[in-house]
Amino acid sequence: MDRKPFTLALCGTAALALCGPASAEFIKDSKASLELRNFYFNRDFRQEGAKQNKAEEWAQGFLLRYESGYTEGPVGVGADALGLLGLKLDSSPDRVGTGLLKSDREAPNRAQDEYGELGLTAKLRASQSTLKVGTLLPKLPVALHNDSRLLPQTFRGAWLNSAEVENLSLDLGRFDRINQRNSSDNEEMTVFNGGNRNITLGSTKTTDQFDFAGATYKWTPNLSTAYHYGGLDGLYQQHYLTFNHLLPIADGQALKTDLRWARSTDDGGSNVDNTAIGALFTYSFGAHAFGLGYQRMSGDTGFAYINGTDAYLVNLVQINDFGNEDERSWQARYDYNFTALGIPGLTFMTRYLAGDNVDLRGVAGEGEEWERNTDIAYVVQSGPLKNVGIKWRNASTRSNFGSDIDENRLILSYTLALW
């Protein structure tokens, strides 16, 4: 596909903002920041016959973000920019595959020393509606960009958001390319088919068209519902309903309810057929929070979503999402905020998930898996290191149909506001 028309249209729109009449708001309301991420990743494979003993790499990431204001007038014009750079600090051919670094095209078992991306976004604002064209970071149930490694995954396309009606938010758009979290190439999209999704594709393997639309209504400050549609042209269509409610019980106590239902079907080029339901209830009091979740897959395949993105499932956790064919899973979670003990900035989370009833297709018995996660994070609250964050993420997972993994991630981060 020729990218020149898209690029010229983007640059032309941005030029209107930069070369048109001077606007105080365009400059005055702009902001820029530089985020630093130092990421160590270690994944040990524990199953017998593993092709690789471990994946272990260390890298430094730089994320430069710029957001302009809008020009004056009934239609405001603006431009955003996102600069991404990843540097290899440690890797070797027998330890690649962490998702932190880009593979070398000439030697796929080696990581490149560096990789990067420059994303530009033109934007128009009229009343309470905003149109963005270019590099996008969607957070939608049908398209949730992945930001779990060194650099975030990005999309290319157009996205219109409208809030003209009070308490109602509308979304409409199309993506034509995706840039994975460890890549600098804008590529066509396909459906994720890892684990035991059991998805088969026909002649259409990838596509340059993902259409989406959605409506979110906030009934009260504590209650919202939403419907979203996503269609990966020629591969699958998806309808997603969500319900979110926060019930205050007493001083310092509340019950949060998160309900999700999704129906995914083929779009002529696959066998996608899945219904997913999920429920997560979280009771919080003081510094404590207890969560219980349940998730169920039904249909002829597992849950469908764009390859490389995050699946919008209540049981999506550090390694797995428990979205295999016919899988049913539950989770128990506990969070604690150490501010209650006089240590602001220190938080703790642990959870356990178990799944069973996975259709293994031609193999006797059913698939079973479990995963355990622990996160400890601290953000410096004052002094010369204020806002420096450190997070340790530990996970273990075992199954009778996939990899057995022990994993540790250590992440140092700092965001500097440039203006």
Side-chain angles (χ1 to χ4, degrees), residues 41-43 55-58 95-101 149 181-182:
F41 186 108
N42 180 298
R43 174 178 285 184
E56 182 183 29
E57 293 177 313
W58 181 29
R95 294 187 282 112
V96 296
T98 65
L100 295 182
L101 298 167
R149 293 295 194 275
R181 62 194 182 189
N182 59 339

Side-chain angles (χ1 to χ4, degrees), residues 94-397:
D94 61 336
R95 294 187 282 112
V96 296
T98 65
L100 295 182
L101 298 167
K102 182 178 180 178
S103 297
D104 192 304
R105 289 182 176 179
E106 297 182 359
N109 65 331
R110 292 184 178 274
Q112 289 188 359
D113 291 337
E114 61 183 45
Y115 68 105
E117 174 191 2
L118 174 61
L120 301 176
T121 308
K123 55 187 182 181
L124 301 174
R125 185 179 66 185
S127 184
Q128 299 300 311
S129 298
T130 302
L131 173 65
K132 294 185 177 182
V133 180
T135 299
L136 302 168
L137 300 171
K139 292 185 178 181
L140 301 167
V142 292
L144 182 61
H145 86 277
N146 186 299
D147 194 16
S148 63
R149 293 295 194 275
L150 188 69
L151 303 177
Q153 174 194 59
T154 64
F155 284 77
R156 192 182 75 178
W159 182 357
L160 173 65
N161 174 262
S162 177
E164 301 295 337
V165 179
E166 186 177 5
N167 298 321
L168 177 64
S169 177
L170 301 175
D171 293 289
L172 179 68
R174 172 179 292 181
F175 304 135
D176 75 334
R177 286 293 190 276
I178 192 171
N179 189 348
Q180 303 294 0
R181 62 194 182 189
N182 59 339
S183 174
S184 55
D185 302 317
N186 283 316
E187 304 169 329
E188 291 193 344
M189 297 162 284
T190 189
V191 59
F192 175 74
N193 196 21
N196 274 71
R197 287 306 202 266
N198 294 323
I199 295 174
T200 58
L201 303 180
S203 59
T204 301
K205 306 297 182 182
T206 63
T207 178
D208 63 356
Q209 182 176 326
F210 178 81
D211 295 319
F212 64 92
T216 303
Y217 190 76
K218 199 167 187 178
W219 301 89
T220 71
N222 294 331
L223 173 63
S224 65
T225 57
Y227 163 77
H228 286 85
Y229 165 82
L232 196 56
D233 186 47
L235 293 175
Y236 74 84
Q237 299 183 59
Q238 186 173 86
H239 302 271
Y240 216 117
L241 297 175
T242 59
F243 172 95
N244 289 277
H245 182 246
L246 181 65
L247 176 64
I249 299 174
D251 291 342
Q253 300 183 48
L255 177 65
K256 182 179 180 180
T257 300
D258 182 353
L259 305 179
R260 308 177 190 182
W261 176 91
R263 175 62 181 154
S264 307
T265 57
D266 73 273
D267 191 31
S270 73
N271 68 330
V272 170
D273 174 31
N274 174 267
T275 299
I277 61 171
L280 180 62
F281 303 94
T282 305
Y283 172 65
S284 58
F285 64 99
H288 307 271
F290 293 92
L292 289 175
Y294 177 76
Q295 182 174 288
R296 178 64 190 266
M297 302 290 131
S298 60
D300 293 334
T301 68
F303 185 73
Y305 61 99
I306 302 171
N307 185 50
T309 63
D310 281 338
Y312 192 66
L313 298 171
V314 296
N315 282 352
L316 168 70
V317 288
Q318 184 165 325
I319 299 175
N320 296 308
D321 64 15
F322 296 83
N324 297 291
E325 183 181 351
D326 289 337
E327 186 165 15
R328 58 193 181 197
S329 57
W330 61 270
Q331 74 160 290
R333 171 172 173 159
Y334 172 71
D335 292 77
Y336 184 76
N337 190 325
F338 282 84
T339 301
L341 295 180
I343 314 176
L346 180 63
T347 57
F348 170 82
M349 183 280 295
T350 187
R351 61 191 167 202
Y352 177 83
L353 300 93
D356 62 11
N357 200 53
V358 178
D359 191 334
L360 298 181
R361 292 283 180 99
V363 178
E366 64 180 40
E368 298 180 348
E369 60 179 339
W370 61 261
E371 180 171 338
R372 180 180 62 247
N373 301 157
T374 300
D375 285 6
I376 299 177
Y378 179 68
V379 178
V380 179
Q381 301 295 295
S382 60
L385 297 179
K386 183 178 180 181
N387 296 326
V388 171
I390 181 170
K391 177 181 286 188
W392 171 50
R393 308 196 70 190
N394 172 265
S396 294
T397 183

